[in-house]
Amino acid sequence: MDLYAIAEQIVINYGYLGVFIISFTEAFIQPIPPDVFIIGASFFGLNPIISAIVATIGSTLGGLFGYFLGDKLGHSVFVKLFGGKNLHKGEEFFNKYGVFGVIIAGISPLPYKVIAWLSGIFEMHKLLFTIGTIIGRLPRFLAVAYFGDILGNVNKLNEFNIWLFCLINSHYNSILDIIMPIISKTVYPLIAITILIILIKNRKFGIKLISILFLAVIILFSLKYLINEPRPYLVLENVHLLCYEGNEPSFPSGHTTLAFTLATSLLYYSRKIGLLFLIWAIFVAYSRVYVGVHYPFDVLAGIIIGIVCGYLIKIDILKLINKYRKYIKSYIIKRKIKKEK
């Protein structure tokens, strides 16, 4: 039986109690994270807020039990259960982060149960541990609970996506029918012109911009052919179609992705220019729905991908590669020295 089936059975048979038990036991001993069950709880109809709160209470109480075990059973039992390395790493972690370590473990994929035991071993104040757990766990569980709720309402989301498309696409006039296709078609020429100008003025930034746009292209086309969503005009009737994109998949919007990648990148070149391009990118995004070639969610995905890719331009990738290359080289040398000894 897979986790999906187990989650379904727990929710059907035990409801919130099942979420509590899983969250409680995971916080001090059992290895399966509660997230999949919280997602399942919301997916199968339980209230996401209540699920998240119940899971947080369960995890907090379970964490306190783990704290108690760590405090009473000490180092030796911990080492048997989790290994000596985790003890040493945990000590360093606590010395560095303190209560923030509990928050980090609560909200991240770090093994929370290990942190719970270590909190008891290293005698962290119980109140601080409890507060740290709640601060870390509640946002995480709310996020996964609502993710499950969204998955459980995919049909509703799809209906909303279509409704919003029809709302935008059906409200047209003769002026916008001229303007919107033009805006939509400016993306590739404007990208080419912008790259050329920036390469002349700032070659280093221009090369980085090309790299970021190339990354965006890889991501968007990977998603396009992985998801393979048909264009609105191929499945819906009475679409006000002003551009034709053939049978190429719809999700995400390529024009929107590249427009927002360019605009976000340019914010790190010149804020004024970047803001102007951002306004242009918003019009591009709207135009793709208006001309009938994309759903609003295609455009939204393009905006997100574009902003994320554009943000990456501020990272000096070459420096990053060199930094890690030096780190790896140093690590290999140290390993060789240890072996020789």
Side-chain angles (χ1 to χ4, degrees):
M1 188 179 284
D2 60 17
L3 282 177
Y4 177 89
I6 294 169
E8 184 177 15
Q9 287 302 312
I10 286 174
V11 172
I12 290 169
N13 295 327
Y14 302 104
Y16 295 115
L17 178 61
V19 174
F20 177 87
I21 291 168
I22 292 292
S23 302
F24 178 82
T25 54
E26 183 274 339
F28 67 90
I29 192 65
Q30 67 95 355
I32 302 171
D35 304 70
V36 66
F37 299 99
I38 299 166
I39 290 170
S42 300
F43 183 88
F44 294 112
L46 296 185
N47 185 290
I49 295 175
I50 297 174
S51 296
I53 291 171
V54 168
T56 303
I57 293 169
S59 190
T60 303
L61 293 175
L64 284 167
F65 186 63
Y67 178 103
F68 171 80
L69 293 174
D71 182 40
K72 298 301 177 186
L73 301 179
H75 295 66
S76 58
V77 176
F78 179 90
V79 170
K80 286 179 183 177
L81 288 171
F82 304 110
K85 280 186 179 179
N86 279 326
L87 181 65
H88 298 304
K89 285 181 180 178
E91 189 171 7
E92 290 174 7
F93 187 74
F94 268 100
N95 289 336
K96 188 174 182 180
Y97 297 107
V99 69
F100 292 104
V102 178
I103 296 171
I104 292 165
I107 205 165
S108 73
L110 288 174
Y112 172 75
K113 65 183 72 59
V114 173
I115 299 300
W117 276 69
L118 289 172
S119 297
I121 290 171
F122 298 120
E123 299 179 345
M124 176 180 282
H125 195 287
K126 289 187 184 70
L127 181 60
L128 283 178
F129 172 76
T130 304
I131 292 169
T133 295
I134 293 168
I135 291 172
R137 284 312 219 186
L138 185 57
R140 170 175 166 174
F141 291 159
L142 278 170
V144 296
Y146 272 104
F147 178 67
D149 190 54
I150 289 167
L151 290 178
N153 290 284
V154 167
N155 288 335
K156 289 181 182 178
L157 282 172
N158 191 45
E159 287 171 10
F160 175 73
N161 195 22
I162 293 169
W163 173 82
L164 192 56
F165 169 81
C166 293
L167 180 69
I168 295 168
N169 184 253
S170 62
H171 284 75
Y172 53 86
N173 61 59
S174 56
I175 296 171
L176 289 178
D177 281 0
I178 296 168
I179 294 170
M180 287 300 162
I182 293 171
I183 291 172
S184 194
K185 290 173 183 176
T186 59
V187 175
Y188 296 120
L190 195 54
I191 287 174
I193 293 165
T194 305
I195 288 172
L196 188 61
I197 292 169
I198 289 178
L199 280 171
I200 294 168
K201 291 191 171 185
N202 188 332
R203 189 170 178 273
K204 186 179 178 182
F205 190 89
I207 291 169
K208 286 174 76 174
L209 180 59
I210 292 169
S211 303
I212 291 300
L213 286 165
F214 183 66
L215 174 65
V217 168
I218 291 171
I219 293 169
L220 80 89
F221 276 102
S222 298
L223 287 172
K224 269 185 184 291
Y225 289 98
L226 181 67
I227 296 168
N228 201 28
E229 181 186 49
R231 298 274 178 175
Y233 55 77
L234 295 175
V235 293
L236 300 177
E237 295 179 358
N238 302 318
V239 173
H240 183 60
L241 186 63
L242 299 175
C243 295
Y244 183 71
E245 300 288 348
N247 294 323
E248 184 185 290
S250 185
F251 183 94
S253 166
H255 286 69
T256 306
T257 301
L258 295 176
F260 272 87
T261 301
L262 179 64
T264 308
S265 299
L266 289 175
L267 285 170
Y268 297 101
Y269 178 75
S270 165
R271 189 166 291 275
K272 287 182 181 178
I273 293 171
L275 287 172
L276 287 173
F277 271 80
L278 202 56
I279 293 166
W280 162 75
I282 291 167
F283 278 109
V284 168
Y286 182 82
S287 75
R288 299 306 285 168
V289 181
Y290 184 93
V291 300
V293 295
H294 281 294
Y295 294 105
F297 284 7
D298 302 344
V299 165
L300 179 61
I303 291 170
I304 293 167
I305 296 166
I307 290 171
V308 171
C309 288
Y311 174 79
L312 293 176
I313 204 164
K314 69 180 288 190
I315 300 169
D316 195 327
I317 296 169
L318 291 175
K319 273 188 180 179
L320 200 64
I321 291 168
N322 287 330
K323 180 183 175 182
Y324 280 99
R325 189 185 291 165
K326 286 177 184 176
Y327 172 78
I328 292 165
K329 194 175 180 181
S330 172
Y331 176 77
I332 291 168
I333 291 167
K334 285 178 182 177
R335 292 278 294 180
K336 281 182 179 178
I337 292 167
K338 279 185 179 180
K339 283 182 180 179
E340 286 172 3
K341 287 181 179 179

